[in-house]
Amino acid sequence: MTLKFSQTSDSPESSASPCVIVGVFADGKMSDAAARLDQASSGALKRLLDSGDITTKLGSSSLLFGLGGIRTERILVVGLGSADKFDAAAFNKAALEAGRALKTLPVASAASWLTSLEVPARAGAWKLRTAALAADMHAYRYTATFKPKEQARTAQLEALAFAGTEDARALAEANAMAKGVRFARELGNLPPNICNPAHIAAQAKAFADAHAGVACEILERDDMEKLGMGSLLGVARG
């Protein structure tokens, strides 16, 4: 199941989400969202930064519990590295770490303020799509050919909200892109006795039938021979 993405107008300190995600830069520099949590918790984040309990290395994360003055139960603090070197690649790495860490937590939903970070030459729509795809990549679980398991006793991530309210189109794009990536991964992970040419053709036809403006043409062996598709014919014969 693809994660459900949304946006939130809440402030990080007032969010009732089971987990709030913020970033911190090297040398103790906080993002605006982290600074708000620090102020609401009477300087708890700064004390943990000063003591080394929160790491600021790019691609790392620290989980905080039960801070006073804020509503959320958990704060996932993602290291952003040097503020002077924070660019699109660094944002993507931070988003991937947030997704990896979220996958391990017993929460059904979370709210992220990483998309409120300033990234040079990147608009809010890009940040939202990047953060959403990073989270969904880690949340994906292949189960198609596995025996059904008992329902998990702990919650698993199903929904992720991002700070802001003005990127409805980017949000729709993020949801669509995540579904497309999952569809491709599912086909790639299926064993070859299931995901054979006939299965792929059936999936392609079903996809075209379900989406207006999408056409599907299925080539048989004679069609491929006429087009000189020798390498594909070799695969088909094998």
Side-chain angles (χ1 to χ4, degrees):
M1 180 181 67
T2 309
L3 290 182
K4 296 178 181 178
F5 300 118
S6 62
Q7 290 188 283
T8 177
S9 59
D10 292 341
S11 61
E13 69 274 17
S14 65
S15 174
S17 172
C19 181
V20 162
I21 307 163
V22 296
V24 290
F25 293 99
D27 302 323
K29 180 180 178 181
M30 299 184 193
S31 63
D32 290 343
R36 293 186 65 142
L37 289 173
D38 182 62
Q39 182 178 9
S41 62
S42 302
L45 265 69
K46 186 178 186 306
R47 290 193 295 273
L48 291 169
L49 279 167
D50 292 343
S51 66
D53 290 295
I54 296 177
T55 175
T56 60
K57 180 181 178 182
L58 179 62
S60 63
S61 62
S62 307
L63 187 63
L64 311 179
F65 293 93
L67 270 63
I70 56 179
R71 293 186 67 187
T72 185
E73 299 173 352
R74 302 170 184 81
I75 302 174
L76 181 63
V77 183
V78 179
L80 304 176
S82 172
D84 296 336
K85 298 179 180 179
F86 192 73
D87 56 11
F91 179 87
N92 185 57
K93 189 170 184 178
L96 286 168
E97 170 57 22
R100 184 207 64 77
L102 277 175
K103 182 180 178 179
T104 68
L105 301 182
V107 296
S109 62
S112 174
W113 271 261
L114 294 183
T115 49
S116 64
L117 295 167
E118 291 294 329
V119 181
R122 300 293 181 178
W126 178 88
K127 292 184 290 184
L128 196 155
R129 290 193 300 266
T130 300
L133 289 173
D136 196 69
M137 185 192 79
H138 281 290
Y140 170 80
R141 293 177 177 85
Y142 174 78
T143 60
T145 55
F146 294 164
K147 291 182 179 180
K149 295 182 178 180
E150 294 183 6
Q151 188 172 1
R153 296 181 180 179
T154 57
Q156 294 182 335
L157 188 67
E158 298 176 356
L160 180 59
F162 298 102
T165 58
E166 300 176 355
D167 286 314
R169 179 173 179 176
L171 193 66
E173 291 172 347
N175 277 294
M177 291 168 70
K179 289 180 180 178
V181 170
R182 286 204 174 210
F183 180 71
R185 289 180 73 179
E186 197 75 358
L187 288 177
N189 286 330
L190 284 170
N193 63 311
I194 295 177
C195 191
N196 52 36
H199 178 79
I200 295 174
Q203 293 297 307
K205 186 177 185 307
F207 184 89
D209 291 343
H211 296 82
V214 178
C216 173
E217 180 182 2
I218 299 171
L219 301 180
E220 299 295 344
R221 180 169 295 180
D222 290 343
D223 300 318
M224 291 188 283
E225 286 178 345
K226 292 177 182 178
L227 292 171
M229 301 168 67
S231 59
L232 290 178
L233 283 170
V235 172
R237 291 191 181 100

